Amino acid sequence: MSCYFNRTLVLHKMSFPSHSLSISATIAANAVPLATPETDPVPLQFSVLRKIESCRSIQEIKQFHALVIKSRPLQTQFVYNAIMRGVTSFRTRCGSSLEAILLYREMLMKGLVPNDYTIPFLLKACAQEYALREGEEVHVHAIKTGLLGSNVYVNNTLMRVYAVCGVIGAAQKLFDKSPQRDLVSWTTLIQGYVKTGSPREAVEVFFRMCEANFVADEMTLVIVLSACAMLGDLSLGKRIYRYMHENEVKRDVFVGNALVDMFLKCGDADLARWVFSEMPVKNVVSWNSMILGLAQQGKFKEALVVYEEMQTLGIRPDDVTLVGVLNSCANLGLLESGKWVHVYIDKHMINADGFIGNALVDMYSKCGSISQALRVFQGMKRRDVYSYTAIIVGLAMHGEAAHALEIFSDMSLVGIRPDEVTLLGVLSACSHAGLADEGQRHFEDMSRVYGLEPQTEHYACMVDLLGRAGLLSDAEEFIKNMPTEPDAFVWGALLGACRVHGKVELGELAMKKLVEIEPERDGAYILMSNMYSSADRWRDALKLRKFMKEKHVKKTPGCSSIELDGIVHEFRKGEKSHPKSKEVCRFLEEFTSHLKSFGQQDKIAFA
DNA sequence: TTAGGGTTAG
């Protein structure tokens, strides 16, 4: 009794920031005498729980809550906890954090005190809604009531609030101070590091957990596997896989999906396929993991084969599946298949905003139908930075620089901040349109206006922009002043510009640098050899080809594909396997000679 | 009556 009295007394003395939800103000204004904590009769507890569990919607819980407000004997700690449990287990549109906080305030006003069940319910709601400020308030209450530190559920749920809100330092601090830790504490900390983009640290925590003699269960492993996936570290992934065998971890559908995703992100499609085929139970996420994972590995055709298999089995795709299919169509240039997905989306009245809308814009623009991409973009009710970037990049690819820049300026009007990829689209639009000054201005704006750090891709784009505009010495100077080491894309851009403007000496320097970075690739040699030929330096061209042969430089065959009536026709340099390859070659010869008569031979050679 | 899990775009 005295213990509870002391606790409530402390609650009265607490001060909260003025912007808070004013739990403390409610307590201060509380005129109702504080009740002693009573234990409800067991039959009442059972009937309350049965009632809450029978509720099928948040409205029904609210109706029960109304009944409690009217009936004084029902106003007990147990009943409020039960309502809070009901509220937090429903995913409400209005947000369960607010509902739970309101219930908590009401509870305090009725003179009831929180216990070790109340706080976890409240904190669960805060974590679900990413309500950091409210979580911090509850943190204070948990300290003042003495529940923090004495109850592992309170500690773990509080850690989770900080972890999901990205305040990993606070979560780690709580963990370090916890007098008792269980598997959930470790798992929550590991997940905190994963969610805040630190998979390396997450894995380190996992190994520390093993040293502390905890054995991971399937929930911990799903998170650890996702950390391996983020790291793309196959040997680490295999090590975790062995751990699962050694410790006989249950392989449920979550673990299976996490394994498939991990193996694909680590580049081992065969292992992923094997795990996938061995899964006794698959769900739509399993199929999505395969389709998206294969697409992320650039295996677009394989991704579509998996999708066909899914269709054959009659499994209904969801939004994520369609995004993966659209992405594969986009990268293969399969306009007809992409259109089919669009029809499917319309037919099933799937909301074409967000991920789906953005994937459609990207698919249409990559498949050459920029007008349709624009139509989808304009028809979207909600547009985000991805939507804007997709259309800007698409317009830039189609040479419509002015339109791309116009849409870019619309972004600031509607209050959407561009990111690094948007700027890449803007710079490439400027580059293709020969707008060197405007491109330079946007490049400078990156850090000055948008607070974005230019990456090596942006530098490569600028070199391309200056090079195309014929400002070769500016491009060279630009590379010299780069804060980071120039990569193959930067030197490749310079070499390309040298090829166009016939700058052989500078081209030789770019080639030398490129060969240092990528000795096994043939691109630089081919470009340089073409450059020598154009400058009538046949001997140098021959010498370079001979050198390539001696060094066994692999030749990447040029490849192009075209979709006709839903069938993809592929053509590789030097390969005559296509049934109509003779006719195609004959047509190309005629076409080339026709173009040459218009003086376009240089462009053909370059292409 | 309480806590921790997988796939999505430019």
Side-chain angles (χ1 to χ4, degrees):
Chain A
M1 166 74 189
S2 63
C3 169
Y4 275 96
F5 179 73
N6 284 338
R7 282 180 187 175
T8 45
L9 199 71
V10 178
L11 276 169
H12 277 289
K13 285 185 187 166
M14 281 194 298
S15 63
F16 286 88
S18 56
H19 59 257
S20 74
L21 264 171
S22 302
I23 303 173
S24 54
T26 312
I27 302 163
N30 177 14
V32 182
L34 292 168
T36 53
E38 72 277 53
T39 307
D40 298 355
V42 172
L44 173 74
Q45 293 191 1
F46 271 123
S47 71
V48 167
L49 282 181
R50 262 206 309 274
K51 177 72 198 162
I52 295 282
E53 272 159 15
S54 70
C55 288
R56 282 187 302 269
S57 67
I58 192 80
Q59 279 73 26
E60 285 185 31
I61 291 187
K62 281 182 176 171
Q63 278 169 17
F64 178 69
H65 179 207
L67 183 76
V68 172
I69 292 170
K70 282 186 200 159
S71 168
R72 183 96 185 154
L74 280 172
Q75 293 167 11
T76 68
Q77 190 189 53
F78 183 92
V79 172
Y80 271 96
N81 282 351
I83 302 173
M84 227 181 260
R85 173 183 177 246
V87 165
T88 52
S89 58
F90 278 102
R91 290 202 166 266
T92 56
R93 264 192 307 152
C94 54
S96 63
S97 158
L98 186 62
E99 297 275 341
I101 291 276
L102 291 174
L103 277 164
Y104 184 52
R105 283 178 59 179
E106 191 180 308
M107 210 179 146
L108 295 170
M109 282 180 74
K110 305 270 180 214
L112 300 165
V113 289
N115 70 355
D116 47 355
Y117 288 88
T118 323
I119 301 287
F121 284 137
L122 256 179
L123 289 171
K124 184 187 176 185
C126 293
Q128 267 175 10
E129 306 299 326
Y130 306 100
L132 179 62
R133 195 182 291 168
E134 288 78 2
E136 284 170 337
E137 279 195 56
V138 180
H139 185 170
V140 176
H141 276 219
I143 295 168
K144 302 287 183 184
T145 51
L147 291 165
L148 187 72
S150 68
N151 182 285
V152 71
Y153 284 83
V154 174
N155 270 54
N156 290 347
T157 44
L158 189 57
M159 263 178 66
R160 182 163 163 74
V161 172
Y162 287 118
V164 302
C165 293
V167 194
I168 189 65
Q172 177 75 61
K173 216 167 157 183
L174 271 168
F175 179 86
D176 294 339
K177 284 186 177 173
S178 295
Q180 48 173 333
R181 296 171 196 143
D182 61 9
L183 189 57
V184 179
S185 324
W186 285 97
T187 308
T188 307
L189 187 65
I190 294 170
Q191 199 199 24
Y193 280 109
V194 171
K195 293 266 178 198
T196 46
S198 308
R200 184 64 65 194
E201 285 78 359
V203 175
E204 280 168 16
V205 174
F206 169 71
F207 287 124
R208 275 208 297 279
M209 186 193 96
C210 298
E211 283 165 19
N213 291 323
F214 279 93
V215 178
D217 66 4
E218 60 271 25
M219 288 204 195
T220 316
L221 274 160
V222 164
I223 300 163
V224 176
L225 288 169
S226 78
C228 298
M230 281 168 87
L231 291 166
D233 187 337
L234 184 62
S235 64
L236 179 68
K238 284 182 175 171
R239 192 173 159 192
I240 302 295
Y241 192 49
R242 278 197 301 275
Y243 174 96
M244 286 173 55
H245 280 288
E246 284 158 15
N247 292 281
E248 294 175 344
V249 178
K250 210 176 108 199
R251 288 266 291 266
D252 64 11
V253 70
F254 284 84
V255 175
N257 294 348
L259 275 171
V260 167
D261 178 60
M262 181 275 290
F263 281 131
L264 278 164
K265 291 218 173 96
C266 294
D268 198 328
D270 293 336
L271 254 175
R273 229 183 288 262
W274 184 79
V275 171
F276 181 75
S277 67
E278 293 290 304
M279 279 171 74
V281 179
K282 294 187 188 81
N283 61 13
V284 71
V285 179
S286 325
W287 290 92
N288 292 350
S289 299
M290 273 308 283
I291 293 168
L292 291 152
L294 286 167
Q296 275 161 3
Q297 290 293 309
K299 298 176 188 293
F300 305 110
K301 269 199 267 177
E302 287 92 327
L304 292 181
V305 169
V306 175
Y307 177 61
E308 277 167 25
E309 199 186 328
M310 189 178 171
Q311 277 184 305
T312 313
L313 294 169
I315 297 155
R316 202 187 161 101
D318 69 1
D319 292 21
V320 182
T321 326
L322 298 177
V323 167
V325 174
L326 282 171
N327 182 257
S328 302
C329 292
N331 285 286
L332 292 167
L334 302 179
L335 182 61
E336 289 309 313
S337 309
K339 275 183 183 169
W340 179 90
V341 178
H342 195 175
V343 170
Y344 182 94
I345 289 163
D346 286 345
K347 201 172 140 191
H348 290 82
M349 291 192 284
I350 295 167
N351 182 14
D353 280 332
F355 279 95
I356 290 265
N358 298 342
L360 275 172
V361 170
D362 183 51
M363 182 277 292
Y364 278 120
S365 69
K366 283 212 176 89
C367 291
S369 184
I370 193 69
S371 56
Q372 195 58 33
L374 269 167
R375 215 165 293 147
V376 174
F377 176 78
Q378 278 150 359
M380 285 168 78
K381 289 185 197 74
R382 269 184 315 108
R383 300 187 194 107
D384 57 16
V385 62
Y386 291 94
S387 334
Y388 277 92
T389 306
I391 199 69
I392 288 169
V393 169
L395 287 164
M397 268 189 324
H398 285 80
E400 296 191 28
H403 201 165
L405 295 172
E406 191 187 318
I407 290 185
F408 177 65
S409 63
D410 286 349
M411 277 183 85
S412 53
L413 296 178
V414 292
I416 295 174
R417 278 178 74 88
D419 67 10
E420 286 86 352
V421 190
T422 324
L423 263 300
L424 212 51
V426 169
L427 295 180
S428 104
C430 293
S431 179
H432 288 108
L435 303 169
D437 290 343
E438 189 159 359
Q440 273 175 299
R441 190 168 55 76
H442 286 301
F443 182 80
E444 282 158 20
D445 281 354
M446 270 190 83
S447 48
R448 200 172 55 85
V449 180
Y450 308 112
L452 302 167
E453 197 62 42
Q455 296 152 350
T456 174
E457 290 98 321
H458 298 94
Y459 285 97
C461 210
M462 283 303 291
V463 171
D464 185 64
L465 180 139
L466 294 167
R468 276 177 199 255
L471 306 165
L472 269 301
S473 49
D474 286 0
E476 196 185 356
E477 199 56 32
F478 187 81
I479 295 176
K480 277 186 193 154
N481 292 327
M482 272 179 70
T484 52
E485 199 59 33
D487 68 0
F489 290 104
V490 174
W491 292 117
L494 186 68
L495 183 60
C498 291
R499 160 80 180 92
V500 174
H501 296 283
K503 300 277 182 185
V504 180
E505 280 74 30
L506 190 57
E508 282 172 333
L509 168 83
M511 185 198 75
K512 210 171 133 243
K513 295 283 185 185
L514 261 175
V515 170
E516 275 171 27
I517 302 169
E518 298 179 322
E520 72 289 350
R521 289 191 68 168
D522 63 340
Y525 295 104
I526 305 278
L527 219 54
M528 197 63 223
S529 147
N530 285 345
M531 213 186 301
Y532 282 136
S533 310
S534 299
D536 293 334
R537 287 171 59 171
W538 305 104
R539 202 168 293 189
D540 288 322
L542 209 68
K543 221 165 92 183
L544 203 59
R545 297 269 176 177
K546 208 175 147 201
F547 181 79
M548 276 177 77
K549 214 171 184 175
E550 281 167 10
K551 293 277 171 192
H552 303 291
V553 176
K554 266 189 278 174
K555 288 183 187 169
T556 320
C559 175
S560 64
S561 65
I562 185 169
E563 181 195 22
L564 216 61
D565 297 327
I567 298 165
V568 185
H569 302 265
E570 272 189 1
F571 299 94
R572 278 193 176 73
K573 192 170 183 283
E575 195 194 275
K576 309 245 182 285
S577 63
H578 191 273
K580 291 200 174 179
S581 81
K582 266 189 189 168
E583 284 160 87
V584 172
C585 288
R586 204 178 311 126
F587 174 79
L588 274 177
E589 273 166 28
E590 283 169 24
F591 189 66
T592 311
S593 69
H594 190 67
L595 277 180
K596 274 185 181 168
S597 68
F598 284 97
Q600 298 283 320
Q601 65 271 37
D602 192 51
K603 283 191 180 170
I604 298 162
F606 188 55

